[in-house]
Amino acid sequence: MLMAFIALYLLITVAVGLVAATRVKTATDYALAGRSLPLVMIIMMTFATWFGSETVLGVSAKFVQGGMGNVVEDPFGASLCLILVGLFFAYKLYNMTLMTIGDYYRQRYGKGVEIFCSVVIIISYLGWVAAQITALGLVFNLLSQGAISPTMGMVLGTAIVLFYTLFGGMFSVAWTDFLQMVIIIIGLTAIAIMAGNMAGGADKVIALADSNGWFNFFPEAGDINAWMFFIAAGITMMLGSIPQQDVFQRVMSAKDAKTASRGPIIGGGLYLLFAFVPMFIVASSLLIMPDEAKALLADDPQKVLPTLIMNHMPVIAQIFFFGALISAIMSTASATLLAPSTTFVENILKNIIGKQDDKKALLTMRISLFVFTACVLTYAIVMEGTPIYELVSGAYQFPLVGAFIPLVCGLYWKKATTQGAIYSITLGLAAWLTFMLTPLGEQFPQQFAGLIGAIVGMVAGSLLPQAIKSPPKHHYET
């Protein structure tokens, strides 16, 4: 019965995606859903940006291992990223009528910075999409009780997501995201209520969390080293995810600038609140199945939640859970496959072969999506066994040190120049790599070092005599 319901749900999702695909007529439709989506869709889409496998399986596992301080990067940093996008970036970028975030770097700093920042953004998606594919493999392996191997599960899940995204682009992402977020909210809420009752009440779960110190958020006041790594973890997703194409696409698909600003603020707030639901369910498992939970925490914490559902809850709960989990994974995977593909075509390939007409650009985006999906599936299989949370968190350090400072300074500092952007990218990446590849990274966070290097590079490069000419200034400074 469980497999039948999941198969039916997947068929419905694919059908919705294909119906949405009928609205795709141009490359703008494919990349930005024709810039036509209402507020409720933008809220659901930005909520879906982060609510993926790492939220359901990764964040919840990290929470019961180390408490709130262990999940500062996600959901706290992730939700603040969306709120910051809505407050400080969405309105300005929407009014520039861009197709990709890479287009901004070209207008502000020229083609060289555009290409390099686009490469940085594309590479950063490998870890994030690989996390979703890894989770799909795990889910299909559990659902089939081992009949489908994790690797075959990765291939099957990727093929399903690719199928509807390939044809419908952002329209398919928007429509399926809406359906999937409804399933997530209903499904996980129902599971949380059941788990709380089975654990003896929500008060017992909260008392357990309190007794284990899971509500402790900040490091000890005098531990400077712990504070540095705590802040570095928080800003990795909070700032590193801002110059990302999937966030940009979902926000820029709005029908107007006001909707583009409000959507991510509300979506980010909802994400932070709802991310506590999987944490509550996993905490409940320690009361419902204490011995199994402790053994799984020592072996593979990501399996605690699925084991609770499969071994201790009725079929209806299993349908709710796996429907919600697959929804979370697919909603994130579809957009994170589309984003680097459109960036490659618009900001790298166009600079190599020149501008294409709309029909050819649309075809090229679809081919690029297929190729990138094959590459990231291969990467996920090679990285099999890496924790989902680590795959995701590591993905954002690259754009944090290589793309964030040129974006924010270009929008808010009139003296920012192309030379400053080049210095920023160079020093940011150099400092990051130095601390990552040497023992220095054990004493000082590598992403913090890279961010400081990027800031120094931007300021010094912009204020020093200009050897590199910047493009003419346009309305990005208004």
Side-chain angles (χ1 to χ4, degrees):
M1 184 185 295
L2 174 60
M3 287 295 290
F5 271 100
I6 295 302
L8 177 61
Y9 170 66
L10 290 173
L11 287 173
I12 292 172
T13 301
V14 171
V16 169
L18 292 179
V19 170
T22 62
R23 300 190 62 180
V24 176
K25 308 298 181 186
T26 67
T28 301
D29 291 340
Y30 193 77
L32 298 177
R35 292 166 65 95
S36 63
L37 301 179
L39 179 61
V40 65
M41 295 287 275
I42 300 301
I43 291 171
M44 286 295 201
M45 287 169 64
T46 49
F47 178 20
T49 303
W50 302 135
F51 210 98
S53 60
E54 70 281 0
T55 312
V56 180
L57 301 176
V59 171
S60 57
K62 295 283 284 186
F63 171 70
V64 295
Q65 287 178 301
M68 290 288 188
N70 214 28
V71 293
V72 60
E73 190 167 346
D74 187 9
F76 292 98
S79 59
L80 283 172
C81 165
L82 291 177
I83 293 170
L84 291 173
V85 166
L87 289 174
F88 301 108
F89 296 90
Y91 192 88
K92 283 176 173 285
L93 292 173
Y94 189 92
N95 287 326
M96 294 178 66
T97 319
L98 309 169
M99 184 176 289
T100 68
I101 189 69
D103 290 348
Y104 167 79
Y105 292 106
R106 180 181 67 250
Q107 286 194 22
R108 187 64 172 87
Y109 300 113
K111 288 185 179 181
V113 176
E114 171 199 8
I115 293 171
F116 194 88
C117 286
S118 296
V119 170
V120 166
I121 290 167
I122 290 170
I123 292 174
S124 72
Y125 278 101
L126 281 174
W128 193 8
V129 187
Q132 313 313 314
I133 292 174
T134 299
L136 283 170
L138 174 63
V139 168
F140 283 114
N141 177 253
L142 289 170
L143 285 172
S144 66
Q145 297 182 341
I148 299 175
S149 68
T151 301
M152 284 305 300
M154 291 182 195
V155 175
L156 176 61
T158 303
I160 294 170
V161 176
L162 174 64
F163 186 68
Y164 68 78
T165 308
L166 187 66
F167 291 101
M170 204 62 194
F171 268 122
S172 288
V173 170
W175 286 29
T176 55
D177 271 4
F178 188 85
L179 170 65
Q180 289 157 352
M181 288 305 101
V182 170
I183 298 296
I184 288 170
I185 292 169
I186 294 173
L188 287 183
T189 300
I191 293 293
I193 293 171
M194 292 181 196
N197 290 335
M198 292 173 67
D203 58 327
K204 296 280 193 354
V205 180
I206 294 171
L208 173 68
D210 187 47
S211 66
N212 285 324
W214 291 343
F215 293 135
N216 296 333
F217 184 65
F218 296 106
E220 293 183 13
D223 193 339
I224 297 175
N225 186 264
W227 270 98
M228 285 192 304
F229 279 89
F230 175 81
I231 295 171
I235 65 172
T236 298
M237 285 187 74
M238 186 193 309
L239 304 182
S241 299
I242 291 175
Q244 288 287 69
Q245 176 63 14
D246 65 295
V247 177
F248 175 87
Q249 278 182 288
R250 294 183 181 207
V251 173
M252 296 305 114
S253 297
K255 64 179 182 178
D256 54 49
K258 186 178 290 186
T259 301
S261 298
R262 291 178 177 176
I265 295 172
I266 300 171
L270 289 176
Y271 172 71
L272 179 60
L273 291 174
F274 207 74
F276 287 104
V277 175
M279 297 185 209
F280 176 85
I281 298 171
V282 171
S284 301
S285 71
L286 291 172
L287 295 173
I288 298 169
M289 49 171 209
D291 294 335
E292 283 180 274
K294 288 177 182 176
L296 287 169
L297 285 173
D299 178 39
D300 187 353
Q302 295 172 156
K303 292 183 179 179
V304 174
L305 188 47
T307 301
L308 169 66
I309 304 300
M310 293 294 288
N311 296 350
H312 297 273
M313 288 196 171
V315 173
I316 185 64
Q318 294 173 17
I319 292 171
F320 274 130
F321 173 73
F322 283 103
L325 179 57
I326 290 173
S327 293
I329 297 168
M330 291 174 67
S331 65
T332 301
S334 58
T336 49
L337 287 173
L338 180 63
S341 306
T342 54
T343 299
F344 173 76
V345 173
E346 179 70 11
N347 303 114
I348 297 177
L349 190 63
K350 184 186 287 186
N351 285 303
I352 297 173
I353 65 173
K355 189 174 182 179
Q356 299 174 297
D357 63 45
D358 204 69
K359 188 175 181 180
K360 286 185 178 179
L362 182 56
L363 175 62
T364 308
M365 284 182 185
R366 285 176 167 146
I367 294 171
S368 173
L369 174 64
F370 183 86
V371 173
F372 182 79
T373 302
C375 291
V376 81
L377 174 60
T378 303
Y379 178 76
I381 292 172
V382 171
M383 295 296 290
E384 187 176 347
T386 305
I388 291 170
Y389 192 92
E390 301 304 323
L391 282 171
V392 173
S393 61
Y396 299 106
Q397 293 188 22
F398 205 22
L400 172 67
V401 303
F404 173 70
I405 294 301
L407 172 63
V408 70
C409 287
L411 287 172
Y412 286 99
W413 190 38
K414 290 184 177 182
K415 294 183 179 181
T417 65
T418 298
Q419 179 172 281
I422 293 172
Y423 282 24
S424 176
I425 294 166
T426 303
L427 287 181
L429 289 174
W432 176 62
L433 288 170
T434 299
F435 278 74
M436 181 174 65
L437 299 175
T438 68
L440 291 172
E442 298 174 7
Q443 305 300 320
F444 192 81
Q446 61 203 33
Q447 63 268 50
F448 223 158
L451 184 63
I452 293 171
I455 294 171
V456 171
M458 173 58 76
V459 174
S462 297
L463 297 181
L464 287 172
Q466 298 299 299
I468 302 170
K469 187 178 180 181
S470 297
K473 291 182 170 57
H474 297 295
H475 58 285
Y476 42 67
E477 290 185 349
T478 60

